[in-house]
């Protein structure tokens, strides 16, 4: 039976080793375990991760493993050094600050990177030891970015999902990292990659395109022989746990009562100690609030919970000092004998007390400078299920702000914005509070953590089915055997091949795609066989093809069929003309001027604008602009605009590869036809072929061809097999 193997840095159970050596087991904080444990499908689950304590003694490791195995948990034991360099180092001093836009804190130490790779390998080894047939793997978060690719290497067909819980930064930030390529390749080992927001997804796709060159269509990245699905899965919370907490006893003399008694309003903030959370900025804005609205002095209190974290990292210790000073100053300035402006707690609280605070607070002030999602904001809204009273002030830099649009959304760097939001929240009518809360609660109830985990898994399972379906059109062993057999039996064979993207991979410089010797040898074998007619039909210009294929006298069509070489002679359509070029060229030149990195290729009867070296979105935008101008310019001319792979070409309307193919198709009664091509212009060839022809599209895009083949490499392998039969 298929199982789900969850892999995350931390296990949902933490092991604590007391001074006397006793081992204690308790649940780790966080909603991930709830979400995953509630997955209500047929999958059995195992979970692999670090139990949070350094255990170097072999016997102890064995005892812990035995204990955890009872709950299907498998521990990865880290050494002190690994904890220091992998966890505190690369994870928390490199990726964490960098992905949260704190590049000033990013550490670029190779020592950290080496440890990161090593620990990812350690995880990979253990995961691979446990993978069985049909298992699904789901890897979590920034500590394990290399893991998907490592697992993929060992198990090319296993289904792997990956979810990033923190932001993915814009390309301009991401590219700064020396290990950007390795990190992206790590991600791309997965079949599915999930982010909290569309913004993170967009940044990721853009980084992938610019750094690795892999393009995508609607979030599906074609990585050669696989498709990687990238999508948005905003994580929810365990709604009922906060709406109707178990064992919750309304404390008569609890926090809420204390504030009510004194006619004071409670503003709440809860964060882990982290520079990403905007805590100093928040305190300063709170101080400004009293400066601007002094009549609220004595009437509003900020209850600020800061949970200790990563105290071994310098910036965290510095931040702690800064907070102590800021809170000290404001309290010293404004406190009275029965009121303190900020009640600051530097510790964590048991769940029940946390929930009491959520219920008691009139306002939650959650203003991170950057936050992947921020579950506290969602928990606060859920805790208001019964009272329907409360206002959420939320930073637009938290992923949650995309969903909680009925909160008061603020820019955490804009203290005036925060001050205004505080005033608006304090003065908001109960009707408006309820109206805003209800809308958000409805959404959070529907899209809770179970729904999040289920949606992710269902989509991942769907991909397995999709892959399976795709494979039916892909050239497999059976189709290949039939093709080779038909080829063998045939006496009059027509073989039509496209060049770029079919026989050779693309290059940023089109002139660098010179055919290699192996290809030339293979084509020569095909060409020299009396039973074969081998043709190349390409969009390239005649001169380049003549130069590159000087050794083999292959018949061909260039410029999509403008020039036809048959029986050793080149000729062109008689009715073709190029007088239009003088009108169109200046427009293209202007385009190049405005789009650095693009260039014009002039062929005999066409003009092509290449944008392979530039940003894809900019290229597409320019094409849209250009098409309008061209329509105007060519209103009375018989021209067409062909869109190829990162190139647009303007030529006479009468020319296309299908028409070119017909010269040879009509020559004889062929008993075997093979045509292979990769882009839209090759579809014109597929359209004119008889239904029993072997038409093959390179890549998995929609096509008129009968079959698909994954890559140029696969085309070359197929040709090798054909020539070995020749
Ligand atoms: C990552 C991303 C993303 C906090 N203080 C106490 C306490 N908590 C609980 C809260 C909440 C959780 O910890 C913190 O939520 P975050 O959203 O900050 O999540 P993290 O796991 O820290 O961080 C973040 C998240 O992953 C999920 O993808 O939202 O952006 O950085 O559940 O309630 N719990 C208790 N006592 C406390 O004092 N018991």
């Amino acid at each position: 039976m298929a199982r789900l193997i969850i892999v995350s840095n931390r296990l949902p159970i933490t092991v604590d080793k007391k001074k006397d050596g006793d081992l204690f087991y308790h649940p780790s904080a966080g909603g991930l375990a709830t979400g995953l444990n509630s997955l209500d499908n047929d999958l059995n689950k195992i979970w692999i991760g670090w139990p949070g304590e350094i255990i170097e003694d072999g016997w102890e490791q064995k005892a812990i493993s035995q204990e955890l195995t009872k709950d299907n948990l498998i521990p990865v034991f880290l050494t002190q050094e690994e904890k220091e360099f992998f966890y505190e180092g690369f994870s928390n001093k490199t990726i964490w600050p960098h992905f949260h836009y704190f590049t000033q804190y990013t550490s670029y130490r190779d020592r950290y990177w080496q440890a990161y790779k090593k620990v990812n390998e350690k995880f990979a080894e253990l995961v691979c030891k446990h993978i069985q047939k049909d298992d699904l793997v789901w890897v979590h978060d920034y500590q394990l970015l290399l893991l998907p690719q490592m697992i993929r290497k060992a198990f090319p067909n296993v289904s792997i999902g990956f979810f990033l819980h923190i932001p993915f930064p814009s390309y301009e930030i991401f590219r700064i990292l020396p290990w950007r390529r390795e990190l992206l390749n790590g991600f791309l080992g997965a079949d599915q990659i999930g982010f909290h927001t569309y913004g993170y997804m967009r940044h990721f796709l853009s980084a992938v395109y610019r750094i690795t060159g892999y393009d995508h269509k609607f979030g599906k990245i074609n990585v050669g022989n696989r498709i990687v699905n990238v999508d948005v899965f905003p994580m929810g919370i365990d709604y009922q746990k906060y709406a109707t907490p178990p064992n919750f006893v309304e404390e008569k003399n609890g926090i809420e009562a204390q504030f009510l008694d004194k006619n004071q309003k409670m503003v709440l903030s809860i964060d882990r100690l982290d520079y990403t959370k905007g805590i100093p900025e928040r305190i300063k804005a709170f101080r400004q609030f009293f400066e601007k609205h002094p009549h609220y002095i004595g009437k509003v209190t900020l209850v600020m919970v800061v949970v200790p974290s990563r105290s071994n990292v310098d910036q965290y210790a510095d931040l702690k000092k800064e907070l102590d000073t800021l809170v000290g100053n404001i309290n010293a300035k404004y406190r009275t004998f029965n009121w303190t402006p900020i009640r600051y707690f530097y510790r964590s609280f048991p769940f029940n007390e946390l929930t009491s605070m959520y219920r008691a607070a009139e306002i939650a002030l959650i203003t991170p400078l950057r936050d992947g999602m921020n579950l506290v904001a969602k928990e606060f809204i859920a805790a208001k299920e019964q009272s329907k009273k409360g206002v959420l002030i939320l930073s637009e830099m938290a992923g949650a702000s995309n969903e909680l649009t009925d909160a008061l959304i603020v820019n955490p760097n804009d203290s005036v914005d925060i001050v205004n939001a505080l005033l608006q929240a304090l003065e908001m009518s109960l009707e408006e509070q309820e109206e805003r809360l209800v809308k958000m609660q409805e959404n959070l109830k529907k899209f809770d953590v179970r729904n999040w985990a289920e949606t992710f898994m269902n989509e991942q399972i769907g991909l397995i089915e999709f892959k399976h379906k795709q494979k039916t059109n892909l050239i497999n062993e059976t189709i290949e055997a039939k093709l080779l057999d038909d080829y063998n039996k045939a006496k009059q064979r027509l073989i039509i091949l496209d060049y770029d993207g079919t026989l050779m991979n693309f290059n940023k410089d089109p002139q660098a795609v010179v055919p290699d010797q192996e290809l030339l040898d293979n084509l020569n074998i095909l060409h020299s066989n009396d039973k074969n007619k081998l043709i190349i039909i390409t969009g390239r210009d005649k001169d380049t093809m003549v130069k590159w294929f000087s050794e083999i006298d292959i018949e061909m069509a260039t410029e999509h069929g403008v020039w036809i070489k048959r029986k050793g002679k080149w000729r062109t359509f008689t009715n073709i003309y190029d007088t239009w070029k003088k009108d169109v060229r200046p427009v293209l030149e202007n385009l190049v001027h405005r789009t650095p990195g693009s260039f014009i290729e002039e062929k005999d009867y066409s003009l092509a604008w290449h944008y392979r070296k530039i940003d894809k979105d900019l290229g597409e935008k320019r094409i849209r602009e250009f098409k309008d101008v061209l329509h105007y310019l060519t209103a009375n001319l018989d021209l067409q605009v062909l869109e190829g792979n990162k190139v647009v070409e303007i030529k006479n309307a009468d020319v296309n590869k299908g028409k070119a193919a017909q010269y040879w198709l009509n020559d004889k009664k062929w008993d075997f036809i093979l045509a292979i091509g990769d882009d839209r212009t090759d579809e014109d060839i597929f359209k004119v072929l008889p239904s029993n022809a072997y038409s093959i599209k390179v890549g998995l895009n929609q096509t008129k061809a009968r079959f698909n083949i994954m890559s140029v490499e696969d085309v070359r392998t197929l040709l090798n097999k054909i020539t070995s039969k020749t």
Side-chain angles (χ1 to χ4, degrees):
M1 185 176 158
R3 301 167 315 162
L4 172 63
I5 304 180
I6 301 155
V7 198
S8 60
N9 178 51
R10 291 292 296 270
L11 281 175
I13 297 282
T14 295
V15 175
D16 253 340
K17 191 174 166 185
K18 297 287 169 206
K19 283 213 177 84
D20 58 8
D22 279 357
L23 296 170
F24 284 91
Y25 299 83
H26 59 86
S28 316
L32 194 59
T34 322
L36 297 173
N37 283 332
S38 63
L39 260 178
D40 196 17
N41 53 25
D42 295 336
L43 297 169
N44 283 326
K45 290 175 271 297
I46 60 170
W47 196 318
I48 298 177
W50 181 46
E53 183 78 89
I54 303 294
I55 308 285
E56 310 219 37
D57 177 89
W59 284 105
E60 263 176 1
Q61 289 188 354
K62 213 165 160 196
I64 291 172
S65 297
Q66 272 171 3
E67 188 59 32
L68 293 176
T69 307
K70 292 179 195 159
D71 292 323
N72 292 327
L73 306 177
I74 298 159
V76 179
F77 293 105
L78 298 185
T79 64
Q80 184 58 41
E81 193 182 283
E82 285 167 345
K83 182 177 172 237
E84 193 181 323
F85 292 108
F86 151 77
Y87 179 65
E88 286 158 6
F90 200 79
S91 301
N92 288 336
K93 288 188 192 161
T94 303
I95 303 186
W96 177 270
H98 204 81
F99 279 36
H100 285 87
Y101 293 75
F102 280 80
T103 50
Q104 70 274 35
Y105 293 160
T106 308
S107 167
Y108 298 98
R109 281 184 65 183
D110 186 60
R111 181 79 186 76
Y112 290 168
W113 167 242
Q114 296 305 334
Y116 188 77
K117 278 198 292 190
K118 211 177 117 216
V119 173
N120 270 255
E121 266 156 22
K122 193 170 187 173
F123 271 81
E125 261 170 45
L126 199 61
V127 174
C128 290
K129 225 170 86 185
H130 285 87
I131 290 182
Q132 297 171 6
K133 192 175 173 302
D134 296 332
D135 280 353
L136 285 102
V137 182
W138 190 3
V139 181
H140 288 267
D141 227 0
Y142 66 102
Q143 301 90 350
L144 301 174
L145 296 181
L146 302 177
L147 193 55
Q149 192 58 268
M150 289 173 174
I151 302 173
R152 172 73 53 216
K153 224 167 136 196
F155 288 88
N157 294 318
V158 71
S159 169
I160 307 171
F162 179 83
F163 190 83
L164 186 71
H165 290 260
I166 65 172
F168 191 93
S170 98
Y171 163 70
E172 287 300 334
I173 296 289
F174 184 73
R175 69 189 298 209
I176 299 172
L177 284 175
W179 313 279
R180 59 215 175 163
R181 188 177 292 272
E182 289 92 330
L183 291 172
L184 286 184
N185 283 334
F187 271 99
L188 292 174
D191 295 294
Q192 171 159 289
I193 301 170
F195 296 97
H196 281 308
T197 75
Y198 179 64
Y200 309 155
M201 166 176 163
R202 199 163 45 80
H203 293 323
F204 176 74
L205 290 172
S206 150
V208 167
Y209 178 68
R210 292 160 196 232
I211 292 169
T212 69
Y214 293 132
D215 204 352
H216 77 97
K217 256 213 168 95
F218 304 118
K220 293 210 164 24
I221 310 177
N222 196 337
V223 293
N225 59 354
R226 289 187 306 116
I227 296 282
V228 178
N229 181 41
V230 182
D231 210 339
V232 180
F233 303 90
M235 186 174 172
I237 55 165
D238 184 357
Y239 191 85
Q240 291 312 330
K241 188 171 151 201
Y242 294 90
T244 45
N247 312 321
F248 183 81
V249 194
E250 195 71 62
E251 303 163 71
K252 277 272 167 297
N253 300 315
I255 312 168
E256 202 169 354
Q258 279 189 38
F259 280 86
L260 278 177
D261 277 359
K262 295 180 186 156
N263 195 21
Q264 283 175 6
K265 300 260 186 193
M266 170 178 167
V267 179
L268 176 67
S269 82
I270 299 178
D271 314 88
R272 215 169 27 75
L273 178 76
D274 202 294
Y275 46 80
T276 61
K277 300 291 183 182
I279 310 173
E281 289 78 1
R282 185 183 309 154
I283 299 173
K284 287 177 199 162
F286 198 62
R287 188 178 59 204
Q288 265 185 39
F289 176 76
F290 288 128
E291 283 160 11
K292 192 144 185 239
H293 304 287
H295 57 285
Y296 272 107
I297 293 173
K299 299 206 178 99
V300 185
T301 295
L302 173 62
V303 174
M304 194 172 83
V305 177
V306 176
V307 181
S309 145
R310 303 178 193 172
S311 47
N312 288 351
V313 181
D314 291 346
Q315 285 100 20
Y316 290 73
D318 294 347
L319 177 63
K320 168 73 174 47
K321 277 190 213 138
E322 188 185 354
L323 297 188
D324 290 350
T325 311
L326 280 168
V327 173
N329 284 346
I330 182 172
N331 279 350
K333 182 163 180 194
Y334 289 106
R335 119 173 317 145
T336 61
F337 282 102
N338 52 10
W339 173 72
T340 309
I342 301 183
R343 293 206 202 173
Y344 169 36
F345 302 88
Y346 181 61
R347 59 170 189 264
S348 66
F349 284 87
F351 173 76
N352 262 350
E353 287 181 33
L354 193 81
T355 335
S356 302
M357 287 192 238
Y358 281 146
R359 292 162 79 105
E362 266 92 3
I363 296 168
L365 184 59
I366 300 174
T367 54
L369 301 176
R370 226 23 102 155
D371 209 337
M373 173 52 81
N374 195 302
L375 300 177
V376 170
K378 293 186 170 182
E379 291 162 6
F380 172 75
I381 299 292
K384 301 297 180 190
E385 170 72 19
Q386 284 151 33
S387 73
K388 303 280 190 252
K389 277 191 278 181
V391 183
L392 171 65
I393 301 175
L394 179 61
S395 159
E396 64 180 67
M397 308 296 174
S401 69
N402 286 274
E403 295 162 81
L404 302 175
T405 47
D406 286 289
L408 301 182
I409 305 292
V410 293
N411 178 345
N413 298 296
D414 183 350
S415 56
V416 177
D417 205 11
I418 300 179
V419 169
N420 290 341
L422 271 170
L423 186 69
Q424 190 185 345
L426 287 164
E427 295 181 354
M428 191 181 285
S429 70
L430 288 178
E431 292 77 50
E432 186 178 347
Q433 292 184 27
E434 177 161 357
E435 203 180 303
R436 287 172 181 264
L437 280 171
V438 167
K439 281 193 206 155
M440 295 190 277
Q441 285 168 344
E442 274 167 9
N443 270 327
L444 293 181
K445 243 180 266 180
K446 231 189 291 168
F447 302 110
D448 66 358
V449 68
R450 287 171 192 83
N451 177 277
W452 168 77
E454 246 168 53
T455 312
F456 188 96
M457 282 323 301
N458 288 344
E459 215 168 296
Q460 192 177 334
I461 292 167
L463 285 178
I464 303 176
E465 286 153 17
F466 173 72
K467 237 183 185 167
H468 196 71
K469 232 165 71 198
Q470 259 184 345
K471 277 193 183 148
T472 54
N473 263 353
L474 266 184
I475 298 269
N476 56 23
E477 278 175 21
T478 323
I479 299 168
E480 190 183 279
K482 173 94 172 68
L483 184 152
L484 293 174
D485 191 43
D486 287 350
Y487 175 86
N488 255 350
K489 287 187 199 143
K491 297 199 172 57
Q492 312 221 54
R493 313 168 186 137
L494 177 63
I495 300 168
I496 303 174
L497 303 174
D498 164 52
Y499 186 73
D500 296 86
T502 299
L503 296 176
M504 296 290 291
N505 276 313
F506 289 106
N507 189 295
K508 279 186 179 163
D509 175 10
Q511 286 309 313
V513 192
V514 185
D516 52 83
Q517 200 53 49
E518 188 209 53
L519 177 65
L520 289 173
D521 291 345
N522 248 333
L523 294 178
N524 209 3
I525 299 174
L526 283 175
H527 169 66
S528 321
N529 188 316
D530 287 345
K531 294 179 187 165
N532 291 350
K533 171 66 78 186
L534 171 67
I535 295 146
I536 293 182
I537 301 187
T538 171
R540 281 197 177 260
D541 67 289
K542 172 161 84 56
D543 294 347
T544 306
M545 295 304 277
V546 168
K547 187 170 79 192
W548 285 352
F549 289 89
S550 59
E551 288 168 29
I552 326 169
D553 188 26
I554 310 179
E555 300 205 340
M556 53 176 88
T558 60
E559 292 191 34
H560 299 102
V562 167
W563 287 103
I564 307 276
K565 182 188 174 196
R566 279 164 57 93
K567 303 197 174 91
K569 281 211 180 85
W570 286 98
R571 70 179 195 91
T572 183
F573 291 94
T574 44
N575 59 347
I576 214 160
Y577 60 103
D578 68 353
T579 42
W580 53 269
K581 276 185 179 176
K582 66 176 185 332
D583 299 321
V584 175
R585 197 184 294 110
V587 182
L588 286 183
E589 277 163 1
N590 178 275
L591 202 61
V592 169
H593 183 67
R594 287 166 55 217
T595 324
S598 70
F599 62 92
I600 301 169
E601 185 189 2
E602 177 150 2
K603 305 179 194 175
D604 291 333
Y605 290 96
S606 67
L607 286 173
W609 180 66
H610 290 264
Y611 61 98
R612 185 161 300 282
K613 287 184 198 166
I614 67 157
D615 187 276
K616 181 172 158 257
D617 297 337
L618 180 60
E620 284 168 358
K621 172 180 152 59
R622 291 284 188 257
I623 292 171
R624 269 200 304 277
E625 293 167 1
F626 176 67
K627 266 189 158 173
D628 289 343
V629 179
L630 191 78
H631 277 308
Y632 167 75
L633 266 178
T634 60
N636 300 317
L637 301 170
D638 205 13
L639 294 180
Q640 62 175 326
V641 181
L642 288 178
E643 283 188 45
N645 194 316
K646 315 274 166 13
V647 57
V648 269
E649 193 147 352
I650 300 101
K651 58 174 35 153
N652 291 75
D654 217 22
V655 178
N656 72 51
K657 286 187 176 181
K659 285 196 174 165
Q662 253 152 354
Y663 279 92
W664 287 277
L665 277 170
N666 299 335
D667 265 358
K668 287 190 184 163
K669 202 164 172 354
W670 306 103
D671 53 3
F672 175 90
I673 299 175
L674 169 67
I676 316 180
D678 74 302
D679 75 13
R680 270 186 245 175
T681 63
D682 299 308
E683 295 294 319
D684 290 327
I685 305 181
F686 301 145
K687 273 189 239 162
V688 298
L689 297 179
S691 59
N692 63 347
Y694 283 94
S695 49
I696 305 177
K697 165 99 171 176
V698 187
L700 295 171
N701 293 338
Q702 282 259 317
T703 178
K704 283 258 181 300
R706 281 173 67 202
F707 305 107
N708 292 79
I709 195 162
M710 283 309 296
S711 62
V712 169
E713 288 68 30
D714 289 352
V715 174
R716 301 277 294 253
T717 311
L718 179 67
L719 291 182
N720 280 340
K721 288 186 184 163
I722 294 177
T723 49
S724 69
K725 297 245 170 210
T726 298

